[in-house]
Amino acid sequence: MAVAETQLYAKVSNKHRSRSTSVLLESLLAKGFPAHIAQKALAATGQKTVEEAAKWLHSHCNDPSLDDPIPQEYALYLCPTGFLHNYLLEFWKESKRQCGKNRAHEVFPHITLCDFFTCEDQKVELLYDTLKRVGESFSQRFPPSISLSLHSSTSYLGFFIDDRHANILKEFAQAFSSEASAVADCHVKPCLKQLHLTLSHKFSPHHQKTLEQLAKCINPGETCQWVAALYSRDMRFVHYQTLRALFQYKPQNIDELMINAGDFIYVDPTQQSDVSEGWVIGTSHRTGCRGFLPENYTERANESDTWVKHREYVFVTASRLLTQTENEPNVKTNGEVQSPKMSGSVTKMSQNAALRRGVLVMRHGERVDQVFGKSWLQQCLTADGKYYRADLNFPSTLPKRKDSMKHFEYDPPLSCCGIFQSRLIGEALLDQEVTVSYVYSSPALRCIQTAQHILQGLKLDQKLKIRVEPGLFEWTKWEASRVIPNFMTVTELVEASYKIDTSYRGNFPLSSLVPSESYEEYVSRSSAVIKQIIAACPSKGKGVILIVGHGSSLASFTRPLIGLPTRDSKDFAQVVRKIPSLGMCFCEELKEENKWQMINPPVKTLTHGANAAFNWRNGIVED
């Protein structure tokens, strides 16, 4: 292709497809919006259409900060597209599955050209013009392909840019910085250090080898078109966590936040200490309003999910135009695009991982006192002390025990929903072809019941038996009675038809549990018990060891297994309070190193909303 044709194609590719900002602003002013608010809406939506800006304004009609002169923060990134982009997204997906989320997952694949800087709303269009002019001046110098070399350390994995190509990119960033600073009156700082494309950052050192193996499946020389793009974010929430709403929530009180499914919520972790368990206080990205919302209605989102893409300049070179095909997908921020010729190496690695020995640590299902309070037993006992079902979420019957039924008050059973949850998890594990070889349970009745119903869902209740391990009981300091509960004996459990391994002798006798034990004692107990369990299960076996315990179990049993230090007791309590019923962690063994790593569990946690008690008389018959 001739150079003249290449230049023409580049001009067409980078032509603004939207109406000019001045026209958009005039349209909003004609609708009666004040100039400063209209400009704020345009900046917040990327100055694309009047409709988007007007929708933003209507959504933010109750935003208390609407009149505040707070500008957006902008950054200039160089983003890959095409097959290289697809390889990177596949790495993102697989590294998250095998090693969990790290800092790199918060943002899409990119090379940072200019760090975040502020720009007044009325001057944002000048940034667009600057990007276009500087891009055109560098279009002939831009390398046909950027040379990338893999670099790895104990906390960073990524591609470094070859100096020859990096110098051109730095000159481009410097030119944009100088012109933008001059015409838009903002301080733009170009990145002049080692340019890089991050793959993983701030991960656990024991994941380094796995991440390196996954990174080697990426072909850095694959077909790619590079795009210089301007992104913006709300500078007020830079250090906040970003949550995504899974369900709609309608406020029940004046201080609660209205959310729709898909909404993003900014949450300041430092403001959550005084919030009731199960709730968070946050600010809606969609409306700008602030209030309380149920935490189990949300999931963690990525930092860049709320960023706005403004304008881009596509670097089109002759060699790229000759190799580009119609089927080559465009850049898709945080999306998952299937490449038509992805290497099978990553998939093969995933399949091999399934053959390793694993440990699945799980919290028990919903307990009855979690729904009906500590006085639940009083609600379903007749005058002569017999049990009856006061609500359909109470268990249909209670297992027989020789001592007083009142001991159930401190050793409560699962609710009916808890039984359903547990069986559903077992069925999901069966669907994923998870092979469970051993089952261990805390002596708490709710844990034994959870293990039993998971086995039923797995269709293993006639093949496997539950090993009751007293050392798996939760931190005794959290016991409301300040004494160790009177658990049902193994004989009573067997008589109640629970599949118990009567030949098993616990590593930590029940008599050794200390009431109100210190955090150090609990951590020491947990570390010893998990090591003894691993040692008792043959390493040549490739199945999963299922451990059913408590919310505290997820951290106290997995962290020593994968070599992580003990959390501070306050941080530990904050983590545990957020673990839902049947929350789980999964570790797999790295046999070549005799080590363990944590990866995504084989199934997702069950999420559901609250369902309040209902009396048909209220509001239906009676006023």
Side-chain angles (χ1 to χ4, degrees):
M1 182 177 288
V3 173
E5 291 175 294
T6 302
Q7 292 173 336
L8 178 61
Y9 185 90
K11 289 180 179 179
V12 173
S13 297
N14 293 294
K15 185 178 180 180
H16 288 178
R17 295 188 177 89
S18 61
R19 299 158 66 189
S20 70
T21 306
S22 58
V23 175
L24 299 178
L25 180 59
E26 288 173 4
S27 299
L28 291 175
L29 295 177
K31 293 177 181 292
F33 295 110
H36 69 289
I37 291 180
Q39 288 168 338
K40 188 171 189 174
L42 288 170
T45 57
Q47 301 196 4
K48 296 181 177 67
T49 65
V50 174
E51 290 73 22
E52 284 189 54
K55 182 179 178 181
W56 186 93
L57 285 166
H58 287 302
S59 297
H60 285 257
C61 61
N62 294 318
D63 183 349
S65 66
L66 190 59
D67 283 313
D68 294 345
I70 303 174
Q72 294 277 307
E73 278 191 327
Y74 298 83
L76 182 63
Y77 286 167
L78 187 67
C79 302
T81 68
F83 293 134
L84 176 58
H85 180 252
N86 296 338
Y87 272 100
L88 293 170
L89 289 184
E90 186 66 20
F91 173 86
W92 249 248
K93 178 181 177 181
E94 192 59 27
S95 63
K96 188 175 180 180
R97 188 193 74 81
Q98 293 198 33
C99 303
K101 190 173 183 178
N102 63 64
R103 190 69 181 85
H105 290 115
E106 293 287 345
V107 185
F108 44 85
H110 70 280
I111 299 170
T112 302
L113 297 179
C114 295
D115 292 325
F116 276 99
F117 60 92
T118 58
C119 181
E120 296 176 15
D121 295 339
Q122 66 271 26
K123 297 180 180 179
V124 174
E125 189 176 9
L126 298 174
L127 297 180
Y128 304 164
D129 296 335
T130 299
L131 177 60
K132 186 173 184 292
R133 282 195 301 271
V134 177
E136 289 175 349
S137 68
F138 274 81
S139 61
Q140 295 306 306
R141 297 180 55 198
F142 196 85
S145 63
I146 295 179
S147 179
L148 306 172
S149 58
L150 190 64
H151 174 79
S152 177
S153 70
T154 54
S155 63
Y156 175 85
L157 180 72
F159 289 116
F160 280 4
I161 315 302
D162 176 79
D163 287 344
R164 182 166 51 91
H165 295 159
N167 289 335
I168 298 174
L169 300 184
K170 289 177 182 179
E171 289 179 31
F172 170 74
Q174 182 69 65
F176 173 84
S177 170
S178 298
E179 186 167 340
S181 298
V183 301
D185 192 26
C186 51
H187 180 65
V188 185
K189 183 181 178 182
C191 292
L192 300 178
K193 295 182 180 180
Q194 174 70 61
L195 294 186
H196 55 274
L197 192 160
T198 299
L199 297 176
S200 298
H201 183 40
K202 292 187 177 179
F203 50 84
S204 297
H206 67 280
H207 285 149
Q208 182 180 357
K209 187 171 182 179
T210 300
L211 292 169
E212 286 177 354
Q213 291 174 335
L214 291 174
K216 289 175 182 177
C217 298
I218 303 171
N219 177 11
E222 190 53 82
T223 302
C224 176
Q225 192 172 63
W226 292 90
V227 177
L230 273 172
Y231 287 89
S232 74
R233 67 184 183 186
D234 193 322
M235 63 186 296
R236 297 172 298 168
F237 305 111
V238 171
H239 300 295
Y240 284 47
Q241 289 181 351
T242 305
L243 305 180
R244 180 189 290 104
L246 298 169
F247 315 103
Q248 183 185 58
Y249 179 75
K250 295 182 179 180
Q252 308 296 312
N253 298 291
I254 194 171
D255 59 352
E256 295 176 2
L257 184 65
M258 170 70 184
I259 57 174
N260 293 331
D263 280 0
F264 292 105
I265 313 297
Y266 299 113
V267 173
D268 184 354
T270 65
Q271 296 181 356
Q272 307 305 315
S273 58
D274 296 329
V275 179
S276 300
E277 183 175 355
W279 292 79
V280 293
I281 185 168
T283 302
S284 169
H285 170 71
R286 180 175 60 85
T287 66
C289 297
R290 189 169 185 266
F292 293 94
L293 66 148
E295 189 174 20
N296 66 344
Y297 275 48
T298 66
E299 65 178 359
R300 281 293 299 273
N302 296 324
E303 175 188 331
S304 61
D305 285 346
T306 58
W307 293 3
V308 177
K309 186 176 182 180
H310 287 253
R311 297 291 186 272
E312 64 180 28
Y313 187 88
V314 182
F315 287 100
V316 183
T317 62
S319 60
R320 281 291 172 263
L321 290 171
L322 290 171
T323 58
Q324 193 175 20
T325 68
E326 292 182 1
N327 293 327
E328 188 171 323
N330 294 322
V331 64
K332 183 176 180 183
T333 303
N334 281 334
E336 291 185 7
V337 184
Q338 294 298 320
S339 169
K341 58 172 187 175
M342 282 296 294
S343 167
S345 302
V346 174
T347 304
K348 186 176 181 181
M349 189 179 300
S350 304
Q351 292 171 345
N352 290 339
L355 300 176
R356 298 170 180 163
R357 187 168 58 150
V359 173
L360 182 60
V361 182
M362 191 180 302
R363 187 188 182 191
H364 55 77
E366 180 184 86
R367 48 194 276 181
V368 70
D369 61 334
Q370 186 178 334
V371 183
F372 299 102
K374 297 298 181 183
S375 62
W376 69 273
L377 194 59
Q378 300 172 21
Q379 301 173 42
C380 51
L381 287 180
T382 61
D384 56 355
K386 293 183 179 180
Y387 174 81
Y388 75 99
R389 197 178 191 183
D391 183 284
L392 283 179
N393 201 19
F394 280 109
S396 56
T397 59
L398 292 178
K400 293 182 179 179
R401 55 188 304 166
K402 296 176 182 177
D403 52 18
S404 172
M405 188 178 289
K406 290 185 178 180
H407 286 302
F408 282 123
E409 185 174 355
Y410 297 110
D411 184 25
L414 293 179
S415 66
C416 272
C417 284
I419 293 171
F420 167 75
Q421 290 172 332
S422 304
R423 191 174 291 117
L424 192 63
I425 289 292
E427 292 170 356
L429 291 170
L430 180 64
D431 289 341
Q432 294 299 315
E433 299 181 352
V434 176
T435 303
V436 174
S437 300
Y438 304 92
V439 184
Y440 287 82
S441 172
S442 159
L445 177 59
R446 55 192 180 276
C447 298
I448 293 169
Q449 290 178 321
T450 299
Q452 173 98 343
H453 291 292
I454 288 175
L455 287 177
Q456 288 177 358
L458 277 165
K459 298 183 179 179
L460 291 175
D461 51 312
Q462 300 302 319
K463 298 179 181 179
L464 288 181
K465 292 189 176 182
I466 303 166
R467 296 178 174 181
V468 179
E469 173 54 65
L472 294 176
F473 189 58
E474 67 181 342
W475 187 8
T476 59
K477 179 183 176 181
W478 287 343
E479 279 299 293
S481 62
R482 300 302 180 194
V483 296
I484 305 300
N486 283 336
F487 300 116
M488 292 180 65
T489 65
V490 168
T491 301
E492 288 174 330
L493 291 168
V494 172
E495 290 176 352
S497 299
Y498 293 107
K499 305 297 182 180
I500 306 298
D501 185 347
T502 56
S503 64
Y504 177 74
R505 296 294 177 265
N507 295 297
F508 201 91
L510 192 59
S511 58
S512 300
L513 286 177
V514 180
S516 299
E517 65 188 331
S518 69
Y519 181 59
E520 289 72 22
E521 288 173 328
Y522 169 68
V523 167
S524 176
R525 163 165 65 93
S526 300
S527 179
V529 168
I530 188 64
K531 290 176 181 176
Q532 290 165 347
I533 288 176
I534 297 299
C537 300
S539 59
K540 63 181 180 180
K542 300 185 185 301
V544 170
I545 303 169
L546 173 62
I547 296 177
V548 181
H550 308 265
S552 56
S553 305
L554 272 67
S556 61
F557 297 137
T558 60
R559 288 180 70 88
L561 189 61
I562 62 178
L564 291 180
T566 303
R567 284 186 180 275
D568 178 84
S569 59
K570 291 183 180 179
D571 293 338
F572 177 76
Q574 287 296 318
V575 170
V576 171
R577 66 182 282 270
K578 296 180 180 180
I579 296 174
S581 299
L582 291 165
M584 64 187 83
C585 287
F586 186 67
C587 299
E588 68 172 8
E589 188 176 27
L590 299 172
K591 287 206 169 183
E592 63 274 13
E593 299 179 9
N594 195 26
K595 293 182 178 180
W596 294 77
Q597 68 175 359
M598 189 177 293
I599 63 173
N600 279 346
V603 299
K604 292 185 178 296
T605 303
L606 175 67
T607 306
H608 56 78
N611 194 51
F614 172 68
N615 187 326
W616 59 271
R617 293 183 181 277
N618 298 336
I620 306 298
V621 177
E622 299 175 351
D623 293 331

